[in-house]
């Protein structure tokens, strides 16, 4: 107790004076008590300033001592480094004196290895040049052969498929022979198998040299009536109520239905991906128009190819799909990959900004979950589509966001963006998605993608109302135009003549 009182004598004395003197003085004379309290406050401030000054002097003294210690440590470090360098030079000199021949041999070996490496690289480059020359010569030969080949006969009349899309099990579908595409090995051309319709998405194992006959069959089906539109619903969680749809492109080859993973690489090799988007977008707009006519508020999303963004004037043509139909604004949603959103140039960003309010936007095909909700909302993105495996079972930490997944979903929701968990293939993943507060989901667990009926796609868009005829303008002089002559009865003419 004595130690505590001794170290804090002045505060104890001030407290005692305030309790013994100021309290009765405040009761007897409030003004005197106020002046006494002010005087005590000034005294306390003076004591505090003196104490602060003493502490400042002590800190300066300690900093000076630390400065002296740091200088001594720097000197010791410099001396130790000099000693170590001298010792290393002595050891190096001894090693050079003991084995001069071995050092020369090692230097020669290093030079020889570098020369051999450069020679090998030159050989590889020359081999690549030879292969390119051979490919160019082969293509020149094929072009010359095609020019010399007589034109083929008239193409056979395409067979119209029935509306029920029942599989044909009697005979396989064989594509018409084409002189422009033949196997280099001389074998039979690639023909799709004929069994009940099956969506094929397994990748081809041998991709070293693409099969030209297979590519020809796919391109022929794409140019014909092989392109189909399938719809897969997007449902809300946990109610599982359909809120929108995604339009998926499918390519029918005989009895097989190919997913984009199989035919998109072929279209990319032939430069036809933009044509795919040009053909799909009017069909998707027709589907959105059909849903609106039935009283549905569901929107239709279509995943645009990133190559179409670089097509001159492609984005400028999108408003024509919904011209004259203000009720369909926002019903057509364009989805772009995350890499495309990150690499938009000024022209593309301006074209997308002009589409806001008429066409919705979404982000899909993400490479990671590092999303900026505010930046996406500024660009007009209303949906972010992420695979369920990336949300629940990420491959690495590089794919995870900087914040927790729950916080990511909440931040997207605050910015007006709804997260869609796509490719949900297992029922056991649905409770985990609900725990993460994911609002929307899509996958075969809820409903598979189904083909759109041909009569829906064949519906023609409504024509815009004709503009009203403007009233006749006045003459330059300001007088009304002369009215047309009127027929008067003959009796009226006789009355005027009399």
């Amino acid at each position: 107790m004595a130690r505590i009182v001794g170290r804090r004598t002045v505060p104890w004395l001030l407290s005692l004076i305030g309790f013994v003197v100021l309290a009765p003085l405040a009761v007897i004379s409030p003004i005197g008590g106020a002046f006494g309290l002010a005087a005590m406050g000034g005294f306390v401030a003076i004591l505090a300033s003196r104490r602060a000054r003493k502490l400042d002097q002590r800190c300066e003294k300690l900093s000076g001592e630390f400065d002296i210690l740091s200088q001594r440590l720097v000197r010791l470090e410099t001396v130790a480094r000099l000693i170590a360098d001298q010792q290393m030079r002595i050891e190096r000199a001894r090693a050079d004196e003991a084995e001069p021949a071995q050092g020369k041999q090692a230097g020669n070996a290093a030079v020889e290895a570098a020369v051999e490496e450069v020679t090998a690289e030159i050989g590889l480059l020359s081999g690549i040049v030879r292969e390119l020359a051979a490919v160019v010569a082969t293509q020149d030969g094929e072009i010359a052969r095609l020019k010399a080949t007589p034109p083929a006969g008239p193409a056979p009349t395409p067979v119209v498929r029935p509306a029920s899309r029942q599989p044909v099990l009697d005979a396989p579908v064989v594509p018409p022979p084409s002189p422009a595409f033949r196997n280099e090995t001389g074998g039979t051309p690639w023909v799709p198998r004929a069994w009940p319709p099956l969506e094929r998405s397994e990748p081809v194992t041998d991709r070293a040299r693409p099969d030209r006959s297979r590519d020809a069959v796919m391109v022929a089906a794409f140019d014909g009536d092989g392109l189909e539109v399938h719809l897969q619903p997007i449902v809300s969680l946990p109610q599982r109520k359909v809120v929108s749809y995604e339009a998926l492109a499918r390519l029918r080859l005989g009895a097989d239905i190919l997913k984009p993973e199989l035919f998109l690489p072929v279209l990319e090799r032939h430069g036809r991906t933009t044509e795919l988007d040009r053909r799909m977008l009017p069909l998707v707009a027709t589907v959105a128009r059909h849903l609106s006519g039935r009283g549905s508020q569901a929107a239709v999303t279509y995943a645009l190819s990133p190559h179409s963004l670089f097509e001159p004037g492609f984005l400028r043509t999108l408003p024509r799909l919904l011209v004259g139909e203000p009720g369909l604004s926002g019903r057509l949603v364009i989805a772009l990959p995350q890499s495309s959103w990150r690499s938009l140039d000024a022209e593309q960003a301006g074209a997308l900004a002009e589409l806001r309010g008429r066409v919705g936007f979404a982000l899909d095909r993400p490479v990671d979950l590092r999303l900026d909700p505010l930046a996406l909302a500024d660009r007009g993105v209303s949906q972010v589509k992420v695979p369920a495996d990336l949300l629940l079972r990420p491959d690495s930490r590089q794919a995870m966001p900087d914040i927790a997944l729950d916080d990511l979903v909440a931040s997207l929701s605050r910015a007006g963006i709804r997260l869609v968990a796509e490719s949900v293939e297992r029922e056991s993943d649905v409770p985990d998605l609900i725990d993460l507060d994911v609002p929307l989901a899509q996958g075969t667990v809820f409903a598979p993608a189904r083909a759109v009926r041909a009569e829906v796609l064949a519906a023609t868009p409504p024509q815009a109302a004709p503009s009203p005829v403007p009233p006749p303008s006045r003459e330059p002089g300001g007088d009304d135009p002369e009215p047309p002559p009127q027929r008067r009865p003959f009796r009226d003419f006789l009355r005027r003549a009399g």
Side-chain angles (χ1 to χ4, degrees), residues 161 167-168 172-173 192-195 197 217 221 251-257:
R161 296 191 305 274
V168 181
V173 179
R193 296 172 294 177
W195 51 37
V217 172
L251 189 64
R252 178 177 287 272
L253 289 181
D256 290 342
I257 300 177

Side-chain angles (χ1 to χ4, degrees), residues 206-231:
D206 187 9
R207 292 184 180 270
R209 298 182 62 182
D211 192 349
R212 297 187 177 180
S213 61
R214 183 193 63 194
D215 291 3
V217 172
M218 290 187 182
V219 173
F222 176 74
D223 292 336
D225 299 333
L227 186 63
E228 296 182 356
V229 181
H230 288 218
L231 286 185

Side-chain angles (χ1 to χ4, degrees), residues 267-310:
L267 296 182
E268 289 178 358
R269 285 197 294 270
H270 291 78
R272 308 290 291 276
T273 53
T274 304
E275 183 179 350
L276 171 65
D277 292 337
R278 291 187 186 277
R279 292 176 58 181
M280 283 292 298
L281 284 173
L283 300 178
V284 175
T286 302
V287 174
R289 192 178 296 109
H290 175 75
L291 293 175
S292 178
R294 294 174 54 186
S296 174
Q297 298 296 325
V300 184
T301 305
Y302 175 69
L304 201 66
S305 171
H307 300 285
S308 299
L309 295 177
F310 299 94

Side-chain angles (χ1 to χ4, degrees), residues 60-196:
E60 290 181 357
K61 185 177 180 181
L62 288 175
S63 63
E65 294 178 355
F66 276 115
D67 190 12
I68 294 173
L69 289 176
S70 62
Q71 292 177 1
R72 291 180 179 178
L73 288 175
V74 169
R75 292 175 183 174
L76 289 175
E77 184 180 359
T78 304
V79 173
R81 187 183 296 111
L82 292 175
I83 294 173
D85 293 342
Q86 185 177 2
Q87 190 69 23
M88 290 178 63
R89 285 195 297 269
I90 293 173
E91 294 294 336
R92 193 181 297 112
R94 291 178 180 176
D96 293 341
E97 292 177 357
E99 298 178 355
Q102 293 181 0
K104 293 181 180 179
Q105 293 178 359
N108 295 333
V111 172
E112 292 177 357
V115 171
E116 291 179 358
E117 184 178 357
V118 172
T119 305
E121 291 180 358
I122 293 174
L124 291 175
L125 292 175
S126 61
I128 294 173
V129 171
R130 286 194 298 272
E131 291 179 1
L132 289 175
V135 170
V136 171
T138 303
Q139 292 180 353
D140 292 340
E142 291 180 358
I143 293 173
R145 186 172 63 254
L146 289 176
K147 290 181 178 179
T149 303
T157 305
V159 180
V160 180
R161 296 191 305 274
S164 59
R165 301 183 186 275
Q166 295 295 331
V168 181
L169 301 178
D170 297 333
V173 179
V174 180
S178 174
F181 297 92
R182 291 192 296 242
N183 281 337
E184 296 181 359
T185 57
T188 58
W190 177 80
V191 179
R193 296 172 294 177
W195 51 37

